[in-house]
Amino acid sequence: MFVFACAGCGARLTSPLSRVALPVHAHQKYGNGMQLPVLMEPGTFAVETEPSGPPWRRWEEIDPDEPAARGIHAPVEFLSDGPPGAVVIAPGDVRATRLIPEKAGGYCCGLDGADGPNMACEACGLPVASRIDDCSLWQAVWLAPNAVHRRRVGDAVPPLSWSELMETPLITPPSEPIATWGGRAGTTHWWSWSPQWEAAAGRALAHLLAASERRPVAVPDGPTAEVFRRALDALLPAGPPELRAALAGPGRPAADTDADLLLVPVHPQTGELWTPLSENGRSSGTGTPSSGSSGAAAAPTPVAPADRSVPLPFGVWRWLAFPEPSPPVPTSSGRHAELLRDYPAEPRPLHPFRIDSGVFRHTLVRLPAARSPWLREILADLIHHMRTGVF
């Protein structure tokens, strides 16, 4: 367990926290006017290892050799010149801070941190963090890496093993009610695909395309096909599948690992990818994060060949690997009418699944395969693919 303290005066700024992997949707912008919940679970923190936040430079202003040195292999609109190592926590875990009114950047429906840190240490006034709660952004507090220090306040607790993780209730359903605000009727809700699923699919699709080398890829029928098949059919050449992708991980048949590409879970605490060698072992918490992620914590990666491992957040992977059956829908009349009134059937989203284009782009440009002309073409035509409903 750790706490974070002000680098200026040493005042304690957070409750005790344990480190977890940075969620793939940490920087997601979802829709327009949406009210997203808190990004981090209470009592946890994650680290963004890349530079983040202002100041920003346009791609045209950057020396041609610099992006590759930073692990970026295709053009992006802007690059951050902010410091690496920003720490994200839940707003409820902040202590002894105050808002800086003149730093209220964004302000459509809340704060977006565009003007830099908007929270100061209550004791000495040093700007130490950015509160994010604007519409379409995940609510969070980002601690400025050059303004805080981390202190250990308890013994290290080993991360859960994969088998222990499977005994937890951690699972992410594919759809959920999304809140909107600012309309004449006030806050409203509508049923949609989960933003977390759309972000997870964006990262996974980038890895699938990079590993495919432009060969057709087959994915399992059912929920996995509903998430990926439309995009793979649109972005890869037509023809008999040359590569087979399968869900592999704890509790899955060993035969699944014979597939060409493996859709595997990312450990939620360490950021490690599951491998056949880790089936019965405890996550080590050492290594390199899964490449191209929009942020795994500075922890680990695969022991198996990384070019065939496709990362999925554990909760999303678990639903795909072990989908929960939908309960039967009772008729709206007769003896089932009262049951339907008290326990209405969970509605399905009204549109086909769409992959998050921002997370897809963020991931793909950080994979060396993005140098390929055909992947550069996909990136250049992203708006067209968004219009056709793939993203």
Side-chain angles (χ1 to χ4, degrees):
M1 301 290 285
F2 299 89
V3 296
F4 290 86
C6 174
C9 67
R12 181 165 157 171
L13 302 176
T14 72
S15 59
L17 307 169
S18 59
R19 186 171 180 174
V20 298
L22 185 68
V24 66
H25 52 284
H27 301 296
Q28 181 183 34
K29 181 174 176 60
Y30 183 78
N32 182 28
M34 306 303 175
Q35 187 176 1
L36 295 181
V38 173
L39 173 69
M40 301 298 294
E41 291 293 324
T44 66
F45 76 95
V47 179
E48 172 56 270
T49 57
E50 292 192 18
S52 61
W56 302 87
R57 281 183 294 158
R58 298 188 68 87
W59 182 261
E60 298 79 11
E61 303 168 356
I62 298 166
D63 183 277
D65 296 330
E66 183 182 344
R70 292 175 57 168
I72 298 173
H73 307 286
V76 295
E77 189 173 2
F78 296 98
L79 270 183
S80 169
D81 276 343
V87 173
V88 62
I89 66 176
D93 284 326
V94 178
R95 303 288 183 269
T97 59
R98 59 175 176 82
L99 287 171
I100 307 173
E102 58 271 24
K103 290 288 188 176
Y107 227 82
C108 174
C109 299
L111 304 171
D112 69 1
D115 291 340
N118 56 28
M119 300 179 72
C121 171
E122 202 170 46
C124 71
L126 179 71
V128 292
S130 293
R131 173 75 161 98
I132 309 294
D133 57 14
D134 207 352
C135 57
S136 299
L137 301 176
W138 289 86
Q139 297 182 47
V141 168
W142 289 84
L143 302 175
N146 53 2
V148 298
H149 294 316
R150 185 169 64 181
R151 296 176 182 168
R152 184 182 293 276
V153 293
D155 295 334
V157 177
L160 298 176
S161 68
W162 289 105
S163 58
E164 288 169 339
L165 268 176
M166 292 298 290
E167 295 174 0
T168 70
L170 179 57
I171 194 166
T172 307
S175 57
E176 61 184 75
I178 300 294
T180 62
W181 53 11
R184 292 182 179 178
T187 300
T188 59
H189 293 80
W190 56 288
W191 204 265
S192 176
W193 294 104
S194 165
Q196 295 184 54
W197 273 61
E198 294 184 10
R203 179 174 65 178
L205 178 64
H207 282 270
L208 282 168
L209 293 179
S212 75
E213 298 178 343
R214 214 181 184 188
R215 292 172 288 175
V217 174
V219 294
D221 292 333
T224 308
E226 191 170 14
V227 170
F228 293 110
R229 189 168 288 165
R230 258 190 345 130
L232 291 172
D233 289 348
L235 302 176
L236 292 174
E242 295 185 22
L243 298 175
R244 182 174 68 91
L247 290 154
R252 295 286 297 180
D256 290 343
T257 59
D258 294 332
D260 303 294
L261 303 173
L262 304 181
L263 295 158
V264 301
V266 176
H267 197 287
Q269 294 171 302
T270 68
E272 287 180 329
L273 296 184
W274 179 92
T275 74
L277 297 179
S278 63
E279 175 64 36
N280 297 314
R282 186 173 292 277
S283 178
S284 67
T286 60
T288 308
S290 54
S291 65
S293 98
S294 70
T301 227
V303 179
D307 58 356
R308 72 184 191 117
S309 295
V310 177
L312 286 169
F314 179 79
V316 173
W317 173 88
R318 188 172 182 179
W319 186 286
L320 290 174
F322 306 99
E324 295 189 0
S326 299
V329 179
T331 60
S332 58
S333 60
R335 62 196 181 107
H336 295 301
E338 193 171 314
L339 177 64
L340 184 61
R341 181 200 66 204
D342 295 336
Y343 301 97
E346 189 174 282
R348 281 185 57 82
L350 298 177
H351 60 79
F353 186 85
R354 296 189 186 113
I355 290 168
D356 189 291
S357 61
V359 176
F360 170 77
R361 180 194 292 276
H362 180 96
T363 304
L364 186 55
V365 301
R366 286 162 174 77
L367 298 177
R371 303 188 190 106
S372 304
W374 72 279
L375 286 174
R376 293 283 185 101
E377 186 178 341
I378 288 174
L379 288 168
D381 290 343
L382 209 50
I383 299 235
H384 165 73
H385 295 303
M386 291 168 68
R387 288 173 180 158
T388 61
V390 171
F391 295 98

